[in-house]
Amino acid sequence: MPSPQGAAPPDSTDLTRLRRAAADCTGCALYRSANRTVFGEGPRRAEVFVAGEQPGDQEDKQGKPFVGPAGRLLDDALAEAGFDREALYVTNAVKHFKFTERGKRRIHEKPSRTEVVACRPWLVAELRAVRPRLVLLLGATAAQSVYGTAFRITNQRGRPLDPSEEFAGLFDVAVATVHPSAVLRAPDRETARAEFVADLEAARENLGTTG
């Protein structure tokens, strides 16, 4: 087995070529236990780019991002906020499912900082290929992949953010909010969902001020 040294995407803005290359990625140890790489999906020139944390159990089985319970909640919330899911490019900061086995179940485990950094080249490559106007960052892992470990969702959620230095020129504005799985786990799910939709609506307003 090759030793993990970080992702090394080809120098290309062709999403098909990037997706094929990502399928064989061994840039971190997560590829050893996951079923497959779950690359992003969506239009080549989507105006809106959505990045979550990592694939979940259903995503790992189906090979598609956001197809589990959190994905269904995201679809509904995006529609309520006025977005068309089919027009968005949807991906994750980390492309392999990290989990702990508990009996027959595979329980989500948060990616380490090393794993996030190792996978970041794929996120950069996707952004270079799509060149969106707006980036929606769902959860701390996605937000910190772009803005560093000091970034806090609690302080910045719903606010327009300029690209960080590493991502300069790859998008116009970003908005960070919680991951939809956090809404599903919230003690008051109705309130958490309303706040999540409000963040998405604020992001849509920022989309109207760019370009």
Side-chain angles (χ1 to χ4, degrees), residues 75-195:
D75 285 351
D76 290 345
L78 285 168
E80 189 171 335
F83 289 102
D84 175 8
R85 164 73 185 258
E86 296 302 315
L88 312 184
Y89 187 88
V90 182
T91 191
N92 284 291
V94 174
K95 310 302 189 204
H96 287 111
F97 180 33
K98 183 176 183 179
F99 60 91
T100 300
E101 290 186 304
R102 193 171 299 166
K104 293 183 178 181
R105 297 180 63 200
R106 299 190 302 171
I107 307 301
H108 163 276
E109 186 177 342
K110 184 179 177 65
S112 70
R113 183 63 185 168
T114 299
E115 291 156 351
V116 173
V117 171
C119 206
R120 186 190 286 134
W122 290 120
L123 185 65
V124 173
E126 288 174 293
L127 283 165
R128 283 180 177 153
V130 178
R131 298 280 177 171
R133 291 167 57 197
L134 169 69
V135 172
L136 285 172
L137 298 167
L138 306 180
T141 297
Q144 290 178 2
S145 181
V146 177
Y147 291 102
T149 56
F151 188 92
R152 295 290 179 269
I153 293 287
T154 51
N155 296 334
Q156 300 288 342
R157 66 178 293 180
R159 301 180 184 179
L161 304 164
D162 292 330
S164 61
E165 184 176 348
E166 183 179 357
F167 291 80
L170 300 186
F171 59 87
D172 294 337
V173 64
V175 172
T177 184
V178 298
H179 194 279
S181 62
V183 178
L184 293 175
R185 296 192 304 268
D188 184 349
R189 189 182 296 184
E190 184 176 344
T191 297
R193 187 185 185 284
E195 292 172 348

Side-chain angles (χ1 to χ4, degrees), residues 1-10 18-39 94-96 114-115 117-122:
M1 293 282 186
S3 59
Q5 296 178 341
L18 291 170
R19 185 175 292 107
R20 288 172 179 166
D24 297 322
C25 184
T26 59
C28 78
L30 295 183
Y31 79 94
R32 293 174 179 156
S33 56
N35 284 327
R36 70 197 81 215
T37 304
V38 181
F39 204 70
V94 174
K95 310 302 189 204
H96 287 111
T114 299
E115 291 156 351
V117 171
C119 206
R120 186 190 286 134
W122 290 120

Side-chain angles (χ1 to χ4, degrees), residues 36-85:
R36 70 197 81 215
T37 304
V38 181
F39 204 70
E41 291 188 345
R44 169 74 173 77
R45 288 298 185 188
E47 288 191 322
V48 181
F49 184 106
V50 182
E53 178 189 85
Q54 66 162 342
D57 180 70
Q58 287 301 312
E59 289 78 9
D60 180 61
K61 291 175 179 176
Q62 298 183 41
K64 296 177 178 291
F66 284 100
V67 293
R72 291 191 290 273
L73 188 150
L74 176 63
D75 285 351
D76 290 345
L78 285 168
E80 189 171 335
F83 289 102
D84 175 8
R85 164 73 185 258

